Amino acid sequence: MPKTAILSVFDKTGLLDLAKGLIKHDIQLFASGGTATLIREAGFKVCMYGADALCISIYAFDVSSITHAPEMLSGRVKTLHPAVHAGILARNLDSDEKDLADQKINKIDFVVCNLYPFKDTIAKINVTIPEAVEEIDVGGVTLLRAAAKNHSRVTILSDPADYAGFLQELENGDVTERSRNLYALKAFEHTADYDTTISEFFRKKYAGDGLQQISLRYGTNPHQKPASAYMKERKLPFKVLCGSPGYVNLMDALNAWPLVKELKQALQLPAAASFKHVSPAGAAVGVPLNEKERKVYMVDDIEGLENSRLAQAYARARGADRMSSFGDLIALSDEVDVVTAKIISREVSDGVIASGYSKEALEILSKKKGGKYLILEMDETWDPPMTESRTVFGVQLTQQRNDVIIDPRSSFKSIITPKDSSPLSDSAYRDLTVATITLKFSQSNSVSYALNGQIIGLGVGQQSRIHCTRLAGDKADNWWMRFHERALDIKWKKGTKRPDKSNAIDLLCSGEIPTSDIEKEDYEKNFEEVPQPFTAEEREAWLTHIGDVAVSSDAFFPFIDNVFRASHSGARYIAAPTGSQNDQAVFETAEKLGITFVEQSVRLFHH
């Protein structure tokens, strides 16, 4: 009994050379539809259903000679028949051989199949759903899957690029097991990609209103279009209540939300985060603010602030580094109340994500940016899959999601130095927790400084850890300088805008006061009375008053310079993984400087 092959292809590249090669090796061909037509027009004799008497010495047969049924339903049914699929799926088992013999069905050894170009169809302008539906291949997918399932015996070819190598193996004797395995893998990937394309098309058509998919304004940059966000098999875990999100908006929102969710779970306090470019600019929990803090964070005129822990959290998250928070994406762990909405309403911000909004708060926020302010409502019960993936330069990467839990008691129980240390205070546990959870969602390398339940300095995205420590320390110093009476008592010109105030305060407190005439004029125009710059002595004296700062690092400190720099900004606690060759020197330096070093055993790189 000669071996047999079924050919049913849309892409007919190399088909005739393949047919010649198969016939050369005495392989009987069965072809369907247009494939049979092309073979017949090339001069091969093709036996059609109803002409069995003429099929004795013909090597190319129409598939109807197996099914004994013509194509029907305008070509929708060609190869869907037990005579075809039993021949493909039959194993080398006595029971399978008997079933075939009882039904007078022969085995099929090779299947050559590729599918209607659904991607090309839906790429056409204004393609309709009925037009797309007619291009959905059913019989071809079934052939591919059946042959790929039985690839221990059947060879499946789904890519014309594989024809030459396949024919060469026939010349050498037979198709190897490894080749059959790889051909089967390619067939499974072919059908998977085909099904993905179909589901993407119908998801966009039937659930593209925000149920399962949403179109984004653009990707990372305005020229990167189109862009979208979607979920497979379930609805999106957020709703767009106002505005239109962009790609970076969602990158910020979907990194910021788990940060505030985990802060709240860890510390049982409302939490807030201010995100920019997929890293926090600030993060905090709801700790009451004193009079000075309210003034520094520009919320001293907000009524009812003392009654809203959520508003207190955002005031801290936004206020610690107002320069970096300009144009932020806000994340809030709890339902947004009126007090919090009022703070947000007067700041320059791109959007907010929260578990809910009171009616009055939603009304306030919906008026922001001329009614275009982005407001997202997050399903707080959503728990993402354990595996996450991304595509980089066309390569798919997968990993287990970082599901490590940072707990104030269990994560910071291993005190390395001093050996005789008493248990950490509640405020130390709180601040180390805020610092460390924030790092979990910050671009690495990252180092954070925390005090009073909030981040006061964050250094992210630096290749050198000491640069992270310095950057975070400089921000912490700048934060503390803003509490100096000179910064608090600035006399502003009437009409000076909040961003201009923030910028002028930043210049004053960082010691970066302009000296050139044009820049100096722009700086001084904000004041009724221009404040005197801080001298080096004044700055040094004031910075000696900062203390009890908790510092956390997403990986070990490789050198003692990090400990020295942290100590300059009031570090009393350091939490970091260990594993550096210089661990002992780091521990000893911390102890000499009166810093409690806590081993936080999990590296927290984030990219």
Side-chain angles (χ1 to χ4, degrees), residues 215-280:
S215 295
L216 306 179
R217 295 198 310 275
Y218 48 78
T220 304
N221 299 292
H223 67 276
Q224 292 177 259
K225 297 178 180 178
S228 65
Y230 64 89
M231 294 284 291
K232 295 180 180 179
E233 300 179 12
R234 63 150 288 150
K235 64 181 182 180
L236 288 166
F238 61 85
K239 295 178 182 178
V240 179
L241 304 184
C242 185
S244 177
Y247 187 93
V248 177
N249 292 148
L250 287 188
M251 289 287 287
D252 283 340
L254 297 175
N255 275 277
W257 169 256
L259 191 163
V260 298
K261 182 179 180 180
E262 291 188 24
L263 278 179
K264 182 180 180 181
Q265 289 173 341
L267 297 171
Q268 298 301 302
L269 288 169
S274 171
F275 250 68
K276 287 280 296 292
H277 294 291
V278 205
S279 277

Coordinates of all heavy atoms in Angstrom, one line a residue, residues 215-280:
S215 N -9.1 50.8 23.4 CA -8.1 51.5 22.5 C -7.5 52.6 23.3 O -8.1 53.4 24.1 CB -8.8 52.1 21.3 OG -9.3 51.0 20.5
L216 N -6.2 52.7 23.2 CA -5.4 53.8 23.8 C -5.1 54.9 22.9 O -5.0 54.7 21.6 CB -4.1 53.2 24.4 CG -4.3 52.0 25.3 CD1 -2.9 51.5 25.8 CD2 -5.2 52.3 26.5
R217 N -4.8 56.1 23.4 CA -4.6 57.2 22.5 C -3.4 57.0 21.6 O -3.4 57.3 20.4 CB -4.3 58.5 23.4 CG -5.5 58.9 24.2 CD -5.4 60.4 24.6 NE -4.1 60.7 25.2 CZ -3.8 60.5 26.5 NH1 -4.8 60.0 27.3 NH2 -2.6 60.8 27.0
Y218 N -2.3 56.4 22.2 CA -1.1 56.0 21.5 C -0.3 55.2 22.4 O -0.6 55.0 23.6 CB -0.4 57.2 20.9 CG -0.1 58.3 21.9 CD1 0.9 58.2 22.9 CD2 -0.9 59.5 21.9 CE1 1.1 59.2 23.8 CE2 -0.6 60.5 22.8 CZ 0.4 60.4 23.8 OH 0.6 61.4 24.7
G219 N 0.8 54.7 21.9 CA 1.7 53.9 22.7 C 2.6 54.8 23.6 O 2.2 55.8 24.0
T220 N 3.9 54.3 23.8 CA 4.8 55.1 24.6 C 5.0 56.5 24.1 O 5.0 57.5 24.9 CB 6.1 54.4 24.7 OG1 5.9 53.1 25.2 CG2 7.1 55.1 25.7
N221 N 5.0 56.7 22.8 CA 5.1 58.0 22.1 C 4.0 58.2 21.1 O 3.4 57.2 20.7 CB 6.5 58.0 21.4 CG 7.7 57.9 22.4 OD1 7.9 58.8 23.2 ND2 8.4 56.8 22.3
P222 N 3.7 59.4 20.8 CA 2.5 59.7 19.9 C 2.6 59.0 18.6 O 1.5 58.7 18.0 CB 2.5 61.2 19.8 CG 3.2 61.7 21.0 CD 4.2 60.7 21.4
H223 N 3.8 58.7 18.1 CA 3.9 58.1 16.7 C 3.7 56.6 16.8 O 3.6 55.9 15.8 CB 5.2 58.4 16.1 CG 6.4 57.7 16.8 ND1 7.0 58.3 17.9 CD2 7.1 56.6 16.6 CE1 8.0 57.5 18.3 NE2 8.1 56.5 17.5
Q224 N 3.6 56.0 18.0 CA 3.4 54.6 18.2 C 1.9 54.2 18.2 O 1.3 54.1 19.3 CB 4.2 54.1 19.4 CG 5.7 54.2 19.3 CD 6.4 53.8 20.5 OE1 6.8 54.6 21.3 NE2 6.6 52.5 20.7
K225 N 1.3 54.1 17.1 CA -0.1 53.8 16.9 C -0.3 52.6 16.0 O 0.6 52.4 15.1 CB -0.9 55.0 16.4 CG -0.8 56.2 17.2 CD -1.6 57.3 16.6 CE -1.6 58.6 17.4 NZ -2.3 59.7 16.8
P226 N -1.3 51.8 16.2 CA -2.3 51.9 17.2 C -1.8 51.2 18.5 O -0.8 50.6 18.5 CB -3.5 51.1 16.7 CG -2.8 50.0 15.8 CD -1.6 50.7 15.2
A227 N -2.5 51.4 19.6 CA -2.2 50.9 20.9 C -3.5 50.5 21.6 O -4.5 51.1 21.4 CB -1.4 51.9 21.7
S228 N -3.4 49.4 22.4 CA -4.6 49.0 23.1 C -4.2 48.2 24.4 O -3.1 47.8 24.5 CB -5.5 48.1 22.2 OG -4.8 46.9 21.9
A229 N -5.2 48.0 25.2 CA -5.1 47.2 26.4 C -6.2 46.2 26.3 O -7.4 46.5 26.0 CB -5.1 48.0 27.7
Y230 N -6.0 44.9 26.7 CA -7.0 43.9 26.6 C -6.8 42.8 27.6 O -5.7 42.6 28.1 CB -7.2 43.4 25.2 CG -6.0 42.6 24.7 CD1 -5.8 41.2 25.0 CD2 -4.9 43.2 24.0 CE1 -4.7 40.5 24.5 CE2 -3.8 42.5 23.6 CZ -3.7 41.1 23.8 OH -2.6 40.4 23.4
M231 N -7.8 42.0 27.8 CA -7.8 40.8 28.6 C -8.3 39.7 27.8 O -9.3 39.9 27.1 CB -8.5 41.0 29.9 CG -8.0 42.0 30.9 SD -6.5 41.4 31.8 CE -7.3 40.2 32.8
K232 N -7.8 38.5 28.0 CA -8.3 37.3 27.4 C -9.3 36.6 28.3 O -9.0 36.4 29.5 CB -7.2 36.3 27.0 CG -6.3 36.8 25.9 CD -5.2 35.8 25.6 CE -4.3 36.3 24.5 NZ -3.2 35.3 24.2
E233 N -10.4 36.2 27.8 CA -11.4 35.4 28.5 C -12.1 36.0 29.7 O -12.8 35.3 30.5 CB -10.7 34.0 29.0 CG -10.1 33.2 27.8 CD -9.5 32.0 28.3 OE1 -9.6 31.6 29.5 OE2 -8.8 31.3 27.5
R234 N -11.8 37.3 30.0 CA -12.5 37.9 31.1 C -12.4 39.4 30.9 O -11.7 39.9 30.0 CB -11.8 37.6 32.5 CG -10.4 38.1 32.6 CD -10.1 38.4 34.1 NE -10.8 39.6 34.5 CZ -11.2 39.9 35.7 NH1 -11.0 39.0 36.7 NH2 -11.8 41.0 36.0
K235 N -13.3 40.2 31.6 CA -13.3 41.6 31.4 C -12.1 42.3 32.0 O -11.4 41.7 32.9 CB -14.6 42.1 32.0 CG -14.7 42.0 33.6 CD -16.1 42.5 34.0 CE -16.2 42.4 35.6 NZ -17.4 43.0 36.1
L236 N -11.8 43.5 31.6 CA -10.7 44.3 32.2 C -11.0 44.5 33.6 O -12.2 44.7 34.0 CB -10.6 45.6 31.4 CG -10.1 45.5 30.0 CD1 -10.3 46.9 29.3 CD2 -8.6 45.2 30.0
P237 N -10.0 44.6 34.5 CA -10.2 44.8 35.9 C -10.4 46.2 36.3 O -10.4 46.5 37.5 CB -8.9 44.2 36.5 CG -7.8 44.4 35.5 CD -8.5 44.3 34.2
F238 N -10.5 47.1 35.3 CA -10.7 48.5 35.6 C -11.7 49.1 34.6 O -11.9 48.5 33.5 CB -9.4 49.3 35.5 CG -8.8 49.3 34.2 CD1 -9.2 50.2 33.2 CD2 -7.8 48.4 33.9 CE1 -8.6 50.2 31.9 CE2 -7.2 48.4 32.6 CZ -7.6 49.3 31.7
K239 N -12.4 50.1 35.1 CA -13.3 50.9 34.2 C -12.8 52.3 34.0 O -12.3 52.9 34.9 CB -14.7 50.9 34.8 CG -15.4 49.6 35.0 CD -16.8 49.7 35.7 CE -17.4 48.4 35.9 NZ -18.8 48.5 36.6
V240 N -13.0 52.8 32.8 CA -12.7 54.2 32.6 C -13.9 55.1 32.8 O -14.9 55.0 32.1 CB -12.2 54.4 31.1 CG1 -11.8 55.9 30.9 CG2 -11.0 53.5 30.9
L241 N -13.9 55.9 33.9 CA -15.0 56.7 34.2 C -15.0 58.0 33.6 O -16.0 58.7 33.4 CB -15.1 56.9 35.8 CG -15.2 55.6 36.6 CD1 -15.3 55.9 38.1 CD2 -16.3 54.7 36.1
C242 N -13.8 58.5 33.2 CA -13.6 59.8 32.5 C -12.3 59.8 31.8 O -11.3 59.2 32.3 CB -13.7 60.9 33.6 SG -13.7 62.6 32.9
G243 N -12.2 60.5 30.7 CA -10.9 60.7 30.0 C -10.6 59.5 29.1 O -11.4 58.6 28.9
S244 N -9.4 59.5 28.5 CA -9.0 58.5 27.6 C -7.6 58.1 27.9 O -6.7 59.0 27.8 CB -9.1 59.0 26.2 OG -8.6 58.0 25.3
P245 N -7.3 56.9 28.3 CA -5.9 56.6 28.8 C -5.0 56.4 27.6 O -5.3 56.0 26.5 CB -6.1 55.2 29.5 CG -7.3 54.6 28.9 CD -8.2 55.8 28.5
G246 N -3.7 56.7 27.9 CA -2.6 56.4 27.0 C -1.8 55.2 27.6 O -2.1 54.7 28.7
Y247 N -0.9 54.7 26.8 CA -0.1 53.5 27.2 C 0.6 53.7 28.5 O 0.6 52.9 29.4 CB 0.9 53.2 26.0 CG 1.6 51.9 26.1 CD1 1.2 50.8 25.5 CD2 2.9 51.9 26.8 CE1 1.9 49.6 25.6 CE2 3.6 50.8 26.8 CZ 3.2 49.6 26.3 OH 3.9 48.4 26.3
V248 N 1.3 54.9 28.6 CA 2.1 55.1 29.8 C 1.2 55.4 31.0 O 1.5 55.0 32.1 CB 3.1 56.3 29.6 CG1 3.8 56.7 30.9 CG2 4.1 56.0 28.5
N249 N 0.0 56.0 30.8 CA -1.0 56.1 31.8 C -1.3 54.8 32.5 O -1.3 54.6 33.7 CB -2.3 56.7 31.3 CG -2.2 58.1 30.9 OD1 -2.8 58.6 30.0 ND2 -1.3 58.9 31.5
L250 N -1.5 53.8 31.6 CA -1.9 52.5 32.2 C -0.6 51.8 32.8 O -0.8 51.0 33.8 CB -2.5 51.6 31.1 CG -3.9 51.9 30.7 CD1 -4.5 50.9 29.8 CD2 -4.8 52.1 31.9
M251 N 0.5 52.0 32.2 CA 1.7 51.4 32.8 C 1.9 52.0 34.2 O 2.2 51.2 35.2 CB 3.0 51.8 32.0 CG 3.0 51.0 30.7 SD 3.5 49.3 30.9 CE 5.2 49.4 31.3
D252 N 1.7 53.3 34.4 CA 1.8 53.9 35.7 C 0.7 53.4 36.6 O 0.9 53.0 37.8 CB 1.7 55.4 35.6 CG 2.9 56.1 35.1 OD1 4.0 55.4 35.2 OD2 2.9 57.2 34.6
A253 N -0.6 53.4 36.1 CA -1.7 53.0 37.0 C -1.6 51.6 37.4 O -1.9 51.3 38.6 CB -3.0 53.2 36.2
L254 N -1.2 50.6 36.5 CA -1.2 49.2 36.9 C 0.1 48.8 37.7 O 0.2 47.7 38.1 CB -1.3 48.4 35.6 CG -2.7 48.6 34.9 CD1 -2.7 47.8 33.6 CD2 -3.8 48.2 35.8
N255 N 1.0 49.7 37.8 CA 2.1 49.5 38.8 C 1.8 50.2 40.1 O 2.2 49.7 41.2 CB 3.4 50.1 38.2 CG 4.2 49.1 37.3 OD1 4.9 48.2 37.8 ND2 3.9 49.2 36.0
A256 N 1.2 51.4 40.0 CA 0.8 52.1 41.2 C -0.2 51.5 42.1 O -0.2 51.5 43.3 CB 0.4 53.6 40.9
W257 N -1.2 50.9 41.4 CA -2.3 50.3 42.2 C -1.9 49.2 43.1 O -2.2 49.2 44.3 CB -3.4 49.8 41.2 CG -4.4 48.9 42.0 CD1 -4.5 47.5 41.9 CD2 -5.4 49.3 42.9 NE1 -5.5 47.1 42.8 CE2 -6.0 48.2 43.4 CE3 -5.8 50.6 43.4 CZ2 -7.1 48.3 44.4 CZ3 -6.8 50.7 44.4 CH2 -7.4 49.5 44.8
P258 N -1.1 48.2 42.6 CA -0.6 47.1 43.5 C 0.2 47.7 44.7 O 0.3 47.1 45.7 CB 0.1 46.1 42.7 CG 0.4 46.9 41.4 CD -0.7 47.9 41.2
L259 N 1.0 48.8 44.4 CA 1.8 49.4 45.5 C 0.9 49.8 46.6 O 1.1 49.5 47.8 CB 2.6 50.6 44.9 CG 3.7 51.2 45.8 CD1 4.6 52.0 44.9 CD2 3.2 52.0 46.9
V260 N -0.2 50.6 46.3 CA -1.0 51.1 47.4 C -1.9 50.0 48.0 O -2.1 50.0 49.2 CB -1.9 52.3 46.9 CG1 -1.1 53.4 46.4 CG2 -2.9 51.8 45.8
K261 N -2.2 49.0 47.2 CA -3.0 47.9 47.7 C -2.1 47.1 48.7 O -2.6 46.7 49.8 CB -3.4 46.9 46.6 CG -4.2 45.7 47.0 CD -4.6 44.9 45.8 CE -5.4 43.7 46.3 NZ -5.8 42.8 45.1
E262 N -0.8 46.9 48.4 CA 0.0 46.1 49.3 C 0.4 47.0 50.6 O 0.5 46.4 51.7 CB 1.3 45.7 48.6 CG 1.0 44.6 47.5 CD 2.2 44.0 46.9 OE1 3.3 44.1 47.6 OE2 2.2 43.5 45.8
L263 N 0.6 48.3 50.4 CA 0.8 49.1 51.6 C -0.4 49.1 52.5 O -0.2 48.9 53.8 CB 1.0 50.6 51.1 CG 2.4 51.0 50.7 CD1 2.4 52.5 50.2 CD2 3.4 50.8 51.8
K264 N -1.6 49.1 52.0 CA -2.7 49.1 52.9 C -2.8 47.7 53.6 O -3.1 47.6 54.8 CB -4.0 49.4 52.1 CG -5.3 49.4 53.0 CD -6.5 49.6 52.2 CE -7.7 49.6 53.2 NZ -9.0 49.9 52.5
Q265 N -2.6 46.6 52.8 CA -2.7 45.3 53.4 C -1.6 45.1 54.5 O -1.9 44.5 55.5 CB -2.5 44.2 52.3 CG -3.7 44.1 51.4 CD -3.5 43.2 50.2 OE1 -2.3 42.9 49.9 NE2 -4.5 42.8 49.6
A266 N -0.4 45.7 54.3 CA 0.7 45.5 55.2 C 0.5 46.3 56.5 O 0.8 45.9 57.6 CB 2.0 45.9 54.6
L267 N 0.0 47.6 56.4 CA 0.0 48.5 57.5 C -1.5 48.9 58.0 O -1.6 49.6 58.9 CB 0.7 49.8 57.1 CG 2.2 49.6 56.8 CD1 2.8 50.8 56.2 CD2 2.9 49.1 58.0
Q268 N -2.5 48.4 57.3 CA -3.9 48.6 57.7 C -4.2 50.1 57.7 O -4.9 50.6 58.6 CB -4.2 47.9 59.0 CG -4.0 46.4 59.0 CD -4.9 45.7 57.9 OE1 -6.2 45.9 58.0 NE2 -4.3 45.0 57.0
L269 N -3.6 50.8 56.8 CA -3.9 52.3 56.7 C -4.1 52.6 55.2 O -3.5 52.0 54.3 CB -2.7 53.1 57.2 CG -2.4 53.1 58.7 CD1 -1.0 53.7 58.9 CD2 -3.5 53.9 59.4
P270 N -5.0 53.6 54.9 CA -5.1 54.0 53.6 C -3.8 54.5 53.0 O -2.9 55.0 53.7 CB -6.1 55.2 53.7 CG -6.9 55.0 54.9 CD -5.9 54.3 55.9
A271 N -3.6 54.2 51.7 CA -2.3 54.5 51.1 C -2.5 55.2 49.8 O -3.5 55.1 49.1 CB -1.6 53.1 50.8
A272 N -1.4 55.9 49.4 CA -1.5 56.7 48.2 C -0.1 56.7 47.5 O 0.9 56.5 48.2 CB -1.8 58.2 48.4
A273 N -0.1 56.8 46.2 CA 1.2 56.8 45.4 C 1.0 57.8 44.3 O 0.0 58.0 43.7 CB 1.5 55.5 44.9
S274 N 2.1 58.5 44.0 CA 2.2 59.4 42.9 C 3.3 58.8 42.0 O 4.4 58.7 42.3 CB 2.7 60.8 43.4 OG 3.0 61.7 42.4
F275 N 2.8 58.5 40.8 CA 3.7 57.8 39.8 C 4.0 58.6 38.6 O 3.1 59.4 38.1 CB 2.9 56.5 39.3 CG 3.6 55.2 39.8 CD1 3.5 54.9 41.2 CD2 4.2 54.4 39.0 CE1 4.0 53.8 41.7 CE2 4.8 53.2 39.5 CZ 4.7 52.9 40.8
K276 N 5.2 58.5 38.1 CA 5.7 59.1 36.9 C 6.6 58.2 36.2 O 7.6 57.7 36.7 CB 6.4 60.4 37.2 CG 5.5 61.6 37.6 CD 4.8 62.3 36.4 CE 5.8 62.9 35.5 NZ 6.5 64.1 36.1
H277 N 6.4 57.9 34.9 CA 7.2 57.1 34.1 C 7.6 55.8 34.7 O 8.7 55.3 34.8 CB 8.5 57.9 33.7 CG 8.2 59.1 32.8 ND1 7.8 59.0 31.5 CD2 8.3 60.4 33.1 CE1 7.6 60.2 31.0 NE2 7.9 61.1 32.0
V278 N 6.5 55.1 35.2 CA 6.6 53.8 35.7 C 7.5 53.6 36.9 O 8.1 52.6 37.2 CB 7.0 52.7 34.6 CG1 6.4 51.4 34.9 CG2 6.4 53.2 33.2
S279 N 7.6 54.7 37.7 CA 8.2 54.6 39.0 C 7.5 55.6 40.0 O 7.0 56.6 39.5 CB 9.7 54.9 38.9 OG 10.5 53.8 38.6
P280 N 7.5 55.3 41.2 CA 6.9 56.2 42.2 C 7.7 57.5 42.3 O 8.9 57.5 42.3 CB 6.9 55.5 43.5 CG 7.3 54.1 43.2 CD 8.1 54.1 41.9

